[in-house]
Amino acid sequence: MENAIIISRCSTNENRQDVTRQSQELTSIYGNQYNIVKEFTYYKSGTKNDEVNAEILEYAINNNVKHIVAIEISRISRKISSFALFLEKCNENGINIIIDNFKLHTLLPSGEINGMVQTMLSIASTFASLELTMIKERLNSGREKYIRDGGKLGRKVGSEKDSKKLITEHADIVKFIKQGQSVRNTMKLTGKSSGTIQKIKRLVA
């Protein structure tokens, strides 16, 4: 079987979205079709993940990966220019991008560029970017209404104390983070959820 990697990304913490759900769904669908050699599972904004995408591309090129699978286009990037660059690099290296929710493949079985699909994905990336703009506008509107109604934003009193308590309670996570262990490895070593590990990672960063 040809090698494939899975991209699972969320921009919020585990309480809102769960990247492991994406990985599990994609593995169940594609695990019998391809040899899944790596999963890139992480929490980061889709407008600020160029560095991770560069890491993904480097891994794919150096490890004979023929397919990159994501549940939807916005999991790769919400920036039109970034997705276009990612797609271009994949084309240059004969790597097929699979967007699961539309069952789209950027390359034909022959390895040739699937022009129709790539045009569709270019349009889809525009909608992914517009969707993010709309989400931000709704959040800003809600925040402004909250303030008008007397709400207060900012760090709650005692939150610094709570942060120190969390770091103390999860000293094992802190140890592995400082060792440079990945979130996935830290999950295996501590038996704790990715959300908890991400939270502690932000506190000690």
Side-chain angles (χ1 to χ4, degrees):
M1 290 192 292
E2 293 183 327
N3 292 341
I5 59 177
I6 287 173
I7 298 177
S8 301
R9 181 195 64 78
C10 287
S11 57
T12 55
N13 62 35
E14 194 175 30
N15 294 327
R16 294 277 301 280
Q17 300 181 69
D18 185 0
V19 290
T20 58
R21 176 189 59 80
Q22 295 177 35
S23 289
Q24 289 168 358
E25 287 185 10
L26 293 174
T27 299
S28 67
I29 295 169
Y30 297 97
N32 292 327
Q33 301 177 45
Y34 307 112
N35 178 32
I36 309 297
V37 293
K38 191 172 179 64
E39 296 177 21
F40 285 86
T41 305
Y42 66 103
Y43 289 89
K44 200 173 187 69
S45 168
T47 63
K48 299 177 181 179
N49 64 331
D50 289 350
E51 187 175 330
V52 181
N53 279 342
E55 179 186 346
I56 291 169
L57 283 168
E58 182 179 9
Y59 181 91
I61 293 167
N62 292 336
N63 291 275
N64 194 33
V65 170
K66 296 300 182 183
H67 307 274
I68 294 177
V69 188
I71 205 159
E72 59 182 61
I73 192 170
S74 63
R75 300 308 92 194
I76 296 174
S77 181
R78 282 191 180 274
K79 290 197 302 184
I80 300 169
S81 58
S82 293
F83 178 77
L85 179 61
F86 190 90
L87 177 60
E88 181 182 354
K89 291 292 184 183
C90 286
N91 287 343
E92 289 174 357
N93 290 278
I95 300 170
N96 175 42
I97 301 174
I98 302 172
I99 304 299
D100 177 67
N101 63 336
F102 294 126
K103 306 300 180 188
L104 298 177
H105 292 241
T106 58
L107 298 182
L108 297 169
S110 63
E112 296 179 5
I113 290 174
N114 190 332
M116 183 176 294
V117 164
Q118 298 209 9
T119 300
M120 291 170 65
L121 289 181
S122 296
I123 296 170
S125 69
T126 302
F127 282 108
S129 178
L130 289 173
E131 180 186 29
L132 181 61
T133 300
M134 292 171 63
I135 290 171
K136 287 180 177 178
E137 288 175 352
R138 288 198 299 269
L139 288 172
N140 288 336
S141 176
R143 190 178 294 112
E144 290 168 2
K145 181 180 185 302
Y146 176 72
I147 294 171
R148 286 198 305 271
D149 293 343
K152 294 183 178 179
L153 300 175
R155 180 173 291 183
K156 296 179 181 179
V157 176
S159 61
E160 185 176 347
K161 181 179 178 181
D162 294 339
S163 296
K164 290 180 179 179
K165 183 181 178 183
L166 274 173
I167 290 172
T168 301
E169 290 176 350
H170 298 287
D172 53 344
I173 294 177
V174 174
K175 180 181 71 173
F176 291 124
I177 288 172
K178 289 183 176 179
Q179 289 177 359
Q181 295 285 351
S182 67
V183 172
R184 180 167 293 277
N185 284 344
T186 305
M187 287 171 64
K188 293 177 181 178
L189 291 166
T190 63
K192 295 176 181 178
S193 71
S194 61
T196 299
I197 294 166
Q198 290 283 358
K199 184 183 293 183
I200 300 302
K201 191 173 182 179
R202 287 193 293 271
L203 291 175
V204 298

